Amino acid sequence: MMSDDIILSTENLTKEFAGFTAVNGIDLKVRRGTIHALIGPNGAGKTTFFNLLSKFLSPTRGRIMFKGRDITAMAPADVARRGLVRSFQISAVFPHMSVLENVRIALQRSRGSSFDFWRSASALNRFNARAMQLIDDVGLTSFADCAAVELPYGRKRALEIATTLALEPEMLLLDEPTAGMGHEDIERIAQLIKRVAVERTVLMVEHNLSVVADLSDHITVLTRGQVLAEGDYAAVSNNADVREAYMGVGHD
Amino acid sequence: MEQRLSDPAADPHALQRSTLRGNAESIGFAIMVAALVVTPFFTYPLFLMQAMCFALFACAFNLLIGYVGLLSFGHALYFGWASYLSAYAAKAWGFTPELAILTGTATAALCGLVAGLLAIRRQGIYFAMITLALAQMMYFFALQAKFTGGEDGIQAVPRGHLFGVIDLRNEAAMYVVVLVIFLAGFLFIHRVVNSPFGEVLKAIRENETRAISLGYRTDRYKLIAFVLSATLAGVAGATKAIVLQLASLTDVNWPMSGEVVLMTLVGGLGTIFGPVVGSFVILVMQFKLAAMGEWVLVIQGVIFVACVLLFRRGVIGEIANWLRIRL
Ligand SMILES: Nc1ncnc2c1ncn2[C@@H]1O[C@H](COP(=O)(O)OP(=O)(O)O)[C@@H](O)[C@H]1O
Ligand SMILES: [Mg+2]
């Protein structure tokens, strides 16, 4: 039954850009229901790896299995429909739509009526209650009617997470969810991730090591497109290779 | 900053602003209808009917550029081919005007579907180039085909009897028909823009990558918008053929595609009334300056440049921005 526990796995996943190998033969297994952190120095290939998983890039070689199915050749929208939804390193919102409208767009997709061009947009009001719940969960209630573009950075990330959660994905890919945030926002987002991960799987790229230590069940360290080490926080942080590559601390 | 982000529920002006928005559109619509009902008593109804056809054409074009962000540079294809088929159906097959218009519209819808399937995956300038290339291809087809009448076009198209009953040679009857078609088309576009589907179009225009990551197969939405736009352009072209009793190469050639861009730009991209105002402005100008011959083109060029440099929002866009309302 061991394999049923694995929600996402990659085999020899590789991406080459004009001769430069950004992701180099990665074998990764993510267990269902865990928070799995992906760490590594800038340029290690973390974002590229996420782009491969969400099918925004096609791999040069290798295979991706999600929920027991090969999704290597799937279109990105279809991967999202199967329950693997990503966020972006550069916060992705619909800038000139309100916070409420941003979340509703996601609800609308998963609950139908997206093709109805003959109906009034007021048909979307039936999603308002659920949207407000999600907005409340990320602490944006008082911003519901603001245009997303007017939100401070940290709140934009929160909105992005609320929008992602509206799809009720089985698995989330979060690319540096706390990057560029102040202390308070980091704490709030970390708590939020912890809460949503109770019934989901999370794979996240994160630079803030205290967030990683606090949240993750399992850690994979990447350098130069390859897996350097894996394990829980204690194991990884005591790994000599990791200390050298990641923290600039040499072998004893 | 925090001040502006304060709880909108606690801001008494917020609600007022949103009702003002809805009202501005209603008031604008009432003014437009009133003007279209009254003006035929003061000026040439034929000119107004022609202008309404072009206004609907521009509104259809604006659905694509203004609300999806797709620049089609070949919209004459749908306008012109609908015009040909409508004229031919009325003249050669003896169709009643409503069936002739339907025939032209269906032709445009079909052309829109084929062109859309070929072009929709392309981005930006490539999309514009493919739509232009397809339109030029269909222009040469119109030039060579027998039934289009070559340089002469299809002339003396009978207006016929609406539903076989109402004689459209009567200018008043024809006017009412065109007015109804224009208003129906206008309201339909307004509805599309303000529908659940329109909401998705807005999201795609704002951030397509994010829309895809939320599971939207964005090409399908863009294709539907493209076909709707082509179809409405077809309604405009098919109606024009009945009104002016003529379908000609002018309707399918590329300057027509350029003209609809200009009309939309002058009136205001992505505004609901802009294309209407823009097409009236351009047509009145062409009419008043007709005696100046080729100079009209030069003046149009100057207006185009002025719009791009000085009035990016267009007439209606500038007004709406100034009054802080949506028009
Ligand atoms: N589209 C691309 N074309 C060429 N090189 C790229 C592309 N995307 C990323 N890279 C390169 O791949 C490497 C990994 O980048 P990235 O995945 O963004 O790293 P990380 O997210 O770990 O900081 C970098 O050296 C980057 O310059
Ligand atoms: Mg990155």
Side-chain angles (χ1 to χ4, degrees):
Chain A
M1 284 321 282
M2 195 53 199
S3 68
D4 274 4
D5 253 339
I6 305 297
I7 185 166
L8 177 95
S9 64
T10 67
E11 289 165 29
N12 190 31
L13 199 63
T14 302
K15 180 67 186 177
E16 290 167 5
F17 294 114
F20 171 76
T21 310
V23 169
N24 193 354
I26 292 187
D27 298 302
L28 187 90
K29 286 184 168 44
V30 179
R31 291 170 62 108
R32 193 185 287 276
T34 59
I35 299 181
H36 190 134
L38 200 59
I39 65 173
N42 271 327
K46 306 180 295 294
T47 296
T48 305
F49 185 63
F50 267 27
N51 283 334
L52 293 173
L53 294 182
S54 55
K55 297 309 322 290
F56 278 75
L57 286 175
S58 290
T60 311
R61 276 186 296 283
R63 207 153 77 112
I64 308 164
M65 303 288 291
F66 179 62
K67 289 196 290 180
R69 239 186 96 180
D70 189 334
I71 62 163
T72 317
M74 232 179 230
D78 296 328
V79 172
R81 284 159 172 265
R82 277 190 70 75
L84 177 60
V85 180
R86 69 172 301 180
S87 73
F88 292 82
Q89 181 170 355
I90 310 296
S91 134
V93 295
F94 303 111
H96 300 103
M97 296 168 78
S98 73
V99 167
L100 181 71
E101 288 170 331
N102 264 270
V103 177
R104 262 192 346 198
I105 277 290
L107 289 171
Q108 186 185 344
R109 210 280 287 146
S110 55
R111 296 169 181 218
S113 84
S114 295
F115 284 106
D116 299 1
F117 60 75
W118 57 91
R119 292 170 71 184
S120 163
S122 60
L124 298 174
N125 287 339
R126 66 197 159 101
F127 301 133
N128 285 2
R130 176 67 186 133
M132 285 309 295
Q133 259 175 13
L134 288 156
I135 289 168
D136 195 44
D137 281 347
V138 297
L140 289 179
T141 307
S142 62
F143 298 91
D145 289 328
C146 286
V149 68
E150 290 178 12
L151 296 178
Y153 187 79
R155 307 271 186 181
K156 273 195 193 126
R157 304 299 317 229
L159 171 59
E160 198 185 334
I161 292 177
T163 308
T164 305
L165 289 176
L167 298 174
E168 297 181 17
E170 278 181 67
M171 179 165 178
L172 286 91
L173 302 175
L174 304 175
D175 198 352
E176 303 195 18
T178 69
M181 280 187 188
H183 208 75
E184 248 173 65
D185 283 335
I186 291 181
E187 186 54 31
R188 188 191 4 248
I189 294 295
Q191 290 313 312
L192 178 65
I193 292 170
K194 212 178 230 176
R195 241 181 316 132
V196 304
V198 170
E199 46 207 36
R200 294 169 222 284
T201 311
V202 176
L203 177 62
M204 60 189 274
V205 171
E206 182 54 58
H207 277 308
N208 186 316
L209 289 182
S210 73
V211 172
V212 171
D214 182 27
L215 292 185
S216 44
D217 304 301
H218 195 82
I219 298 169
T220 300
V221 187
L222 292 191
T223 49
R224 295 193 205 91
Q226 286 177 306
V227 176
L228 182 70
E230 278 195 275
D232 62 14
Y233 188 79
V236 166
S237 57
N238 287 321
N239 181 303
D241 291 334
V242 174
R243 290 169 73 89
E244 179 175 339
Y246 198 71
M247 298 160 199
V249 181
H251 288 257
D252 295 331
Chain B
M1 188 68 182
E2 275 301 318
Q3 195 57 38
R4 284 180 55 222
L5 293 172
S6 66
D7 186 352
D11 175 3
H13 299 299
L15 189 65
Q16 226 171 317
R17 268 202 302 276
S18 70
T19 46
L20 188 66
R21 263 189 178 185
N23 282 342
E25 282 184 354
S26 309
I27 292 167
F29 185 70
I31 293 173
M32 184 176 79
V33 173
L36 289 173
V37 168
V38 172
T39 35
F41 294 103
F42 300 98
T43 182
Y44 311 101
L46 191 63
F47 172 79
L48 290 173
M49 288 191 269
Q50 188 189 357
M52 281 192 277
C53 292
F54 277 102
L56 182 56
F57 182 27
C59 288
F61 174 76
N62 185 42
L63 174 62
L64 213 50
I65 181 83
Y67 296 98
V68 196
L70 288 173
L71 171 61
S72 158
F73 206 74
H75 251 45
L77 160 56
Y78 318 107
F79 185 81
W81 274 87
S83 174
Y84 274 128
L85 265 291
S86 171
Y88 194 79
K91 189 171 178 180
W93 298 333
F95 278 24
T96 51
E98 74 282 358
L99 287 180
I101 291 173
L102 271 179
T103 307
T105 304
T107 308
L110 193 67
C111 291
L113 181 63
V114 174
L117 283 169
L118 292 170
I120 214 72
R121 283 168 186 275
R122 311 281 163 238
Q123 306 280 338
I125 194 72
Y126 299 103
F127 178 83
M129 274 162 48
I130 288 189
T131 52
L132 175 62
L134 290 170
Q136 279 312 95
M137 208 179 76
M138 290 302 281
Y139 165 76
F140 285 114
F141 183 29
L143 190 63
Q144 301 299 329
K146 269 243 155 46
F147 86 98
T148 58
E151 300 281 352
D152 295 333
I154 305 176
Q155 299 185 10
V157 177
R159 282 190 179 173
H161 291 68
L162 186 70
F163 306 120
V165 181
I166 305 163
D167 189 349
L168 294 185
R169 281 172 303 181
N170 178 328
E171 207 72 343
M174 186 79 246
Y175 190 87
V176 171
V177 169
V178 176
L179 181 61
V180 167
I181 289 174
F182 167 70
L183 291 178
F186 180 89
L187 288 174
F188 178 74
I189 290 172
H190 183 265
R191 169 45 60 89
V192 170
V193 169
N194 295 286
S195 69
F197 175 75
E199 208 56 16
V200 179
L201 291 184
K202 204 197 299 181
I204 291 174
R205 190 189 44 184
E206 293 252 302
N207 191 341
E208 182 167 0
T209 314
R210 180 55 172 159
I212 292 171
S213 80
L214 294 178
Y216 281 107
R217 295 157 172 156
T218 55
D219 286 344
R220 295 189 190 186
Y221 293 83
K222 291 198 276 188
L223 180 63
I224 291 172
F226 191 89
V227 174
L228 286 175
S229 171
T231 306
L232 286 157
V235 174
T239 308
K240 196 234 73 171
I242 299 296
V243 170
L244 297 186
Q245 305 182 270
L246 172 72
S248 73
L249 285 173
T250 316
D251 301 335
V252 276
N253 205 0
W254 66 266
M256 182 62 79
S257 297
E259 201 150 290
V260 77
V261 176
L262 182 64
M263 288 170 171
T264 309
L265 210 63
V266 166
L269 285 183
T271 65
I272 200 83
F273 294 104
V276 180
V277 171
S279 46
F280 272 80
V281 167
I282 296 293
L283 286 176
V284 166
M285 202 189 66
Q286 286 176 350
F287 186 70
K288 296 276 184 201
L289 303 179
M292 298 176 70
E294 295 287 303
W295 282 98
V296 175
L297 292 177
V298 176
I299 295 172
Q300 276 191 13
V302 171
I303 292 182
F304 184 82
V305 172
C307 274
V308 170
L309 293 180
L310 302 173
F311 308 106
R312 285 239 167 141
R313 298 189 180 94
V315 176
I316 293 295
E318 293 291 347
I319 294 174
N321 184 53
W322 183 54
L323 296 174
R324 302 181 140 276
I325 52 175
R326 208 174 63 149
L327 283 170

